[in-house]
Amino acid sequence: MNNRTLRITYGAMLAAVFALLLLLNRQTGGMLEGLLLFVLPIPMTAYAVYYGGRASVVVFAVMVMLSFLFGDLTSIFYAVSAALVGLVQGTRIYHKRNMTHTLFLIMLMDMVAELIAMVVLARLVTGVGLEADVKEMQTMLEKTFQMSGVKLPSGVSPATLFPKDAIRRLVLISIALTGALEGFITFELSVIILKKLRVPVPRQQSLRDYFPPRWLGFLAIAAFLEYNITFARPLANETLQGIAQTVGIIGYFYLMIFGIIALSGVLRAWVTKSKPVVILFTILGMFLVPLLILLLGVMYLVGGLHERILERERGDNERR
């Protein structure tokens, strides 16, 4: 069997596995959809790892067509997103790209997909947008307070304790966190399977040595500012408002992730080398002073804090 025939056979086999997973989800009434989000990218990853992105486009197109045969609009979107994630991850491993870059990219892609599905696609499919969900949650909270018999001070109502803006922010953050976690699990699961198959996978770079593009930092700052502007003055079009808030949440999380890395670096470089203490204070900082984390993220990405942390650690090592 020559290389071309082998490639076609391998691609057809993996496309069949992809279709089988979609069919299984359809026959179970979507019960396996949550699990398949982590599994569906793996067939495309396995093909792209061996043959690269250019040769994998045909297999990706076949998987997209198969997804239209075995699902509704929502499941099609998730299937295509999963195949795209697999294509990007497999291609980057094939070209031996930086694995830390790849991890963040996969987490970002899954975060974007989850936000689009929950904020934009849900309104197109069901006609119920994010604002309707927020209103329903607020109503449920008010009913819970009434049923519990808790007496609130005069002039205070459940609506003032749980304003729509706060609920909306929590919903968006929870969706983004879910997407980021899905991306992380998908990436790690794919890497574990590839290693079991004895596929050479580049070693992951330490986060302290990873320098994200500075322009992405400025883009994240702009997205976060846009989020606050549209949060204070919502757009008239609910779909555009959902898109604007989605983009803003992505920028917010990008800054927060690197703010957490920055805080641990600052503690390690200027306070203590004890890992348990660094981990403890980093976790406390995430919950107690999120604004500080955000500012550290800005300084880490565009303000030169990353370089100062590395210089400090390098100086400490030389003195030893």
Side-chain angles (χ1 to χ4, degrees):
M1 187 180 294
N2 60 39
N3 186 51
R4 186 170 182 274
T5 305
L6 180 63
R7 189 173 65 184
I8 293 173
T9 304
Y10 188 49
M13 181 186 70
L14 291 175
V17 171
F18 185 84
L20 181 63
L21 292 172
L22 292 176
L23 181 61
L24 186 62
N25 181 58
R26 181 175 178 177
Q27 293 301 316
T28 56
M31 290 176 59
L32 302 177
E33 195 159 81
L35 177 62
L36 291 184
L37 290 175
F38 307 109
V39 180
L40 280 177
I42 294 175
M44 190 70 252
T45 301
Y47 189 85
V49 160
Y50 282 107
Y51 299 108
R54 185 174 298 178
S56 303
V57 171
V58 175
V59 178
F60 172 74
V62 171
M63 289 181 177
V64 170
M65 287 187 287
L66 288 171
S67 67
F68 278 86
L69 297 175
F70 299 110
D72 54 17
L73 185 59
T74 303
S75 59
I76 290 169
F77 175 79
Y78 278 120
V80 173
S81 300
L84 183 60
V85 165
L87 176 63
V88 171
Q89 180 170 314
T91 303
R92 289 186 63 86
I93 295 175
Y94 173 82
H95 290 290
K96 294 181 170 45
R97 303 294 188 196
N98 187 298
M99 290 295 283
T100 304
H101 293 199
T102 304
L103 171 60
F104 280 119
L105 181 59
I106 297 305
M107 289 175 67
L108 179 63
M109 289 178 68
D110 272 314
M111 189 190 300
V112 171
E114 199 66 36
L115 284 166
I116 291 174
M118 300 301 292
V119 177
V120 180
L121 192 63
R123 179 170 176 78
L124 295 176
V125 174
T126 64
V128 179
L130 179 64
E131 294 303 317
D133 290 335
V134 170
K135 187 176 180 180
E136 184 179 353
M137 288 181 187
Q138 191 178 41
T139 303
M140 290 174 61
L141 287 169
E142 290 176 358
K143 288 182 178 179
T144 303
F145 261 88
Q146 291 172 1
M147 292 173 62
S148 65
V150 176
K151 293 184 178 180
L152 297 174
S154 59
V156 178
S157 66
T160 58
L161 287 175
F162 303 100
K164 282 186 178 180
D165 289 345
I167 296 174
R168 188 189 302 113
R169 191 188 296 264
L170 288 173
V171 169
L172 288 170
I173 289 174
S174 64
I175 294 170
L177 274 174
T178 301
L181 183 60
E182 285 174 5
F184 179 80
I185 295 173
T186 299
F187 175 85
E188 294 296 337
L189 183 62
S190 300
V191 169
I192 290 170
I193 292 174
L194 291 174
K195 287 182 177 178
K196 291 292 183 182
L197 296 173
R198 301 187 183 280
V199 176
V201 178
R203 185 171 294 180
Q204 196 165 326
Q205 183 186 23
S206 172
L207 284 176
R208 74 177 75 180
D209 298 322
Y210 170 56
F211 280 83
R214 185 158 291 189
W215 64 267
L216 270 179
F218 285 111
L219 194 62
I221 294 169
F224 177 65
L225 292 175
E226 169 267 327
Y227 170 78
N228 283 281
I229 292 170
T230 54
F231 191 82
R233 295 185 178 181
L235 301 174
N237 187 300
E238 190 174 329
T239 303
L240 290 178
Q241 173 70 8
I243 294 172
Q245 293 282 284
T246 299
V247 172
I249 282 290
I250 293 169
Y252 170 77
F253 266 95
Y254 189 80
L255 295 175
M256 289 295 290
I257 288 170
F258 285 99
I260 293 167
I261 296 171
L263 178 59
S264 64
V266 168
L267 291 171
R268 193 174 55 248
W270 281 281
V271 180
T272 178
K273 300 294 183 184
S274 172
K275 286 186 179 180
V277 174
V278 170
I279 293 171
L280 174 63
F281 278 94
T282 301
I283 294 173
L284 289 175
M286 289 167 54
F287 292 102
L288 299 179
V289 282
L291 182 58
L292 174 63
I293 299 289
L294 197 69
L295 293 174
L296 285 173
V298 172
M299 293 170 63
Y300 190 85
L301 290 167
V302 301
L305 179 59
H306 191 177
E307 291 84 350
R308 291 189 62 190
I309 292 172
L310 291 180
E311 288 174 5
R312 174 77 179 192
E313 290 183 340
R314 206 175 293 121
D316 289 345
N317 292 333
E318 289 174 357
R319 282 192 291 273
R320 290 177 188 176

